[in-house]
Amino acid sequence: LFVINKAGGLIYSKDFASLPNMSANDYLRVASMFHSLHAISQNIAPIRSGGIEVLSADTFNICCFRTATNIKFLLVVEPSTLGSDTMLKGVYDRYVEYVLKNPFYEVDMPIRCELFDVELEKLVAEANAR
Amino acid sequence: MARNLQRAGELAFAKMEKINSEVLTLTYGSIVAQLVKDYEDVEEVNKQLEMMGYNMGIRLVDEFLAKSHVGSCQSFRDSAEVIAKVGLRMFLGVSATVSQWSQDGNEFSLVMEENPLHEFVDIPEHLRGLYYCNILCGVIRGALEMLNMRVDAQYVRCKLRGDAHSEIRVKLIEILEDQYPEDDE
């Protein structure tokens, strides 16, 4: 899971399964690249579009949920996974609750909220149990 | 469209967790009283309230979008209606009406008949210039700024000053476009 702020910077990333080793810098670079691609896709779309929603590859899909405030939630999943958009909406709800309502969190800064982590783990555990 | 928004507002309000309104009124009242004591200058207090509202607005807007499921607005008029009917209803429990659109459609008035923050409040003579609910102006400004609209929100009439109802005038200054850094290669 990655969360990108409206300037294109990565503010949160979390792995829920074992992933190939990528350093923190790599994550930042990847996130900014996605932000730029997303912006380009919005500009070249023939009709007004909200940008990239799903990027499919052989072994994985990247699902993206963009809020009206230009924050992007990215999920990297196996191609066979269903309900990614519901999951992303769930992440958005938890972001609203545990990150935005935390008075000590500055908007657009990296997210360091324990409650947010805990809730995300719960969300993923529920989804995996199904 | 107006009826749909009304319904959306009711639904959103029903879903929100409720607390005792007196607790809110008293808490807000003590914030204002403390600010008055700290700053002693009415204009300064108004400004602080607006800034507090701004910080609240930038966070509330995401919650509003997540909980109310209202789609994108097509125009500034739409945004005005959504704020009045859904936003205010959801967070304060009161609905406002939108009126007095300017010629170019960039300014409107939000008229509120009642405001839960006003209960039990009586502004003394020496605080005449205080806009008790200036925080709402800040909230509107913050929320719209996160949605790429820069606005200016001012109180023009306030029930606590003896007017019949409270009115906030909202003026659209500009629509911000996504800014991409210049290509410097």
Side-chain angles (χ1 to χ4, degrees), chain A residues 3-46:
Chain A
V3 183
I4 305 181
N5 70 15
K6 58 182 190 290
L10 182 68
I11 54 178
Y12 187 76
S13 78
K14 194 166 176 70
D15 295 332
F16 294 105
S18 53
L19 279 188
N21 277 332
M22 272 171 78
S23 74
N25 273 338
D26 285 339
Y27 281 141
L28 284 169
R29 213 172 298 136
V30 163
S32 328
M33 262 196 270
F34 189 88
H35 173 85
S36 318
L37 280 178
H38 189 100
I40 296 174
S41 71
Q42 271 185 294
N43 283 328
I44 63 175

Side-chain angles (χ1 to χ4, degrees), chain B residues 71-140:
Chain B
S72 312
C73 292
Q74 299 304 327
S75 68
F76 192 54
R77 278 180 185 259
D78 261 355
S79 316
E81 289 290 330
V82 167
I83 296 176
K85 298 276 177 315
V86 189
L88 285 177
R89 179 99 181 91
M90 197 169 140
F91 290 113
L92 274 186
V94 292
S95 228
T97 40
V98 179
S99 67
Q100 296 184 3
W101 279 99
S102 68
Q103 276 294 61
D104 50 6
N106 281 345
E107 279 187 47
F108 66 93
S109 283
L110 269 177
V111 176
M112 286 181 287
E113 294 297 324
E114 47 173 54
N115 188 336
L117 299 173
H118 281 169
E119 271 184 83
F120 320 130
V121 180
D122 196 18
I123 302 193
E125 269 310 311
H126 65 271
L127 294 173
R128 271 279 96 175
L130 182 67
Y131 280 123
Y132 192 74
C133 285
N134 218 18
I135 204 165
L136 285 180
C137 295
V139 172
I140 295 176

Side-chain angles (χ1 to χ4, degrees), chain B residues 12-154:
Chain B
F13 181 60
K15 270 198 284 179
M16 300 292 279
E17 277 182 26
K18 314 275 189 304
I19 63 161
N20 190 327
S21 73
E22 289 187 13
V23 170
L24 178 64
T25 308
L26 288 173
T27 308
Y28 186 67
S30 35
I31 293 179
V32 178
Q34 190 63 44
L35 283 175
V36 166
K37 210 183 302 182
D38 286 340
Y39 287 102
E40 289 178 16
D41 171 34
V42 166
E43 277 316 311
E44 193 54 40
V45 175
N46 283 341
K47 208 163 50 134
Q48 289 298 322
L49 281 175
E50 214 263 350
M51 268 169 40
M52 281 167 58
Y54 178 76
N55 286 324
M56 280 169 66
I58 59 184
R59 293 156 193 266
L60 277 181
V61 70
D62 269 313
E63 162 148 20
F64 172 68
L65 292 169
K67 298 259 164 70
S68 71
H69 304 293
V70 164
S72 312
C73 292
Q74 299 304 327
S75 68
F76 192 54
R77 278 180 185 259
D78 261 355
S79 316
E81 289 290 330
V82 167
I83 296 176
K85 298 276 177 315
V86 189
L88 285 177
R89 179 99 181 91
M90 197 169 140
F91 290 113
L92 274 186
V94 292
S95 228
T97 40
V98 179
S99 67
Q100 296 184 3
W101 279 99
S102 68
Q103 276 294 61
D104 50 6
N106 281 345
E107 279 187 47
F108 66 93
S109 283
L110 269 177
V111 176
M112 286 181 287
E113 294 297 324
E114 47 173 54
N115 188 336
L117 299 173
H118 281 169
E119 271 184 83
F120 320 130
V121 180
D122 196 18
I123 302 193
E125 269 310 311
H126 65 271
L127 294 173
R128 271 279 96 175
L130 182 67
Y131 280 123
Y132 192 74
C133 285
N134 218 18
I135 204 165
L136 285 180
C137 295
V139 172
I140 295 176
R141 183 168 73 91
L144 288 176
E145 187 152 322
M146 288 300 270
L147 300 172
N148 291 337
M149 290 180 264
R150 188 172 293 141
V151 298
D152 186 45
Q154 301 282 349

Side-chain angles (χ1 to χ4, degrees), chain A residues 10-127:
Chain A
L10 182 68
I11 54 178
Y12 187 76
S13 78
K14 194 166 176 70
D15 295 332
F16 294 105
S18 53
L19 279 188
N21 277 332
M22 272 171 78
S23 74
N25 273 338
D26 285 339
Y27 281 141
L28 284 169
R29 213 172 298 136
V30 163
S32 328
M33 262 196 270
F34 189 88
H35 173 85
S36 318
L37 280 178
H38 189 100
I40 296 174
S41 71
Q42 271 185 294
N43 283 328
I44 63 175
I47 43 177
R48 224 193 95 154
S49 130
I52 300 182
E53 280 181 24
V54 176
L55 208 144
S56 313
D58 270 347
T59 48
F60 68 91
N61 283 348
I62 301 185
C63 302
C64 173
F65 174 65
R66 180 187 166 270
T67 71
T69 49
N70 242 335
I71 305 199
K72 291 176 259 311
F73 294 89
L74 296 180
L75 206 52
V76 182
V77 291
E78 283 176 14
S80 54
T81 318
L82 300 170
S84 303
D85 38 351
T86 330
M87 169 78 110
L88 280 171
K89 184 80 179 40
V91 175
Y92 183 41
D93 283 337
R94 303 220 173 17
Y95 169 75
V96 160
E97 296 280 310
Y98 298 101
V99 177
L100 290 184
K101 294 205 183 141
N102 183 339
F104 302 112
Y105 168 69
E106 290 169 45
V107 182
D108 284 348
M109 290 283 115
I111 297 178
R112 303 235 181 286
C113 308
E114 253 186 67
L115 282 177
F116 184 55
D117 287 323
V118 166
E119 289 298 313
L120 281 186
E121 309 248 331
K122 275 202 265 181
L123 180 65
V124 171
E126 276 170 24

Side-chain angles (χ1 to χ4, degrees), chain B residues 167-182:
Chain B
E167 184 180 329
I168 301 183
R169 189 106 189 117
V170 182
K171 183 158 60 159
L172 175 67
I173 301 184
E174 58 171 329
I175 300 211
L176 306 163
E177 292 298 331
D178 276 339
Q179 265 144 20
Y180 297 116
E182 290 297 323

